[in-house]
Amino acid sequence: MNNSKNKLKNLKKKIQHYEKNKTDISQNTKNSGASFGFKISTEIVATLVVGVGIGLVVDNYFETSPFGLIIFFILGAFAGLLNIYRVMRRIEKQ
């Protein structure tokens, strides 16, 4: 009888251990997905801000308002999409 009780206790410990590991893995997966989304959104926003900044400087220097802003906004958007494409290819290789 004691042998069967010990087996049950060991089984319960193993089950608790696996359940704990399962929740740890699922939390890590959620965090990595959130960090990936944050990285992608940061890439887009950063390139757009830099593009708009350069466009405003060009417009003020050459007095070509609003053409510099429009052109560099579009270039910033393309740069952001290119960065996202590179990140996706890197992830795909892993």
Side-chain angles (χ1 to χ4, degrees), residues 14-62:
K14 286 181 182 180
I15 290 172
Q16 289 173 350
H17 175 72
Y18 287 119
E19 285 178 349
K20 182 182 179 225
N21 286 342
K22 183 179 176 182
T23 57
D24 291 344
I25 291 171
S26 66
Q27 287 175 351
N28 288 340
T29 304
K30 289 179 185 176
N31 290 339
S32 66
S35 65
F36 176 71
F38 184 72
K39 181 176 182 176
I40 294 296
S41 62
T42 303
E43 291 280 343
I44 292 173
V45 171
T47 54
L48 288 175
V49 167
V50 169
V52 167
I54 292 173
L56 290 173
V57 169
V58 167
D59 280 341
N60 286 336
Y61 187 75
F62 293 112

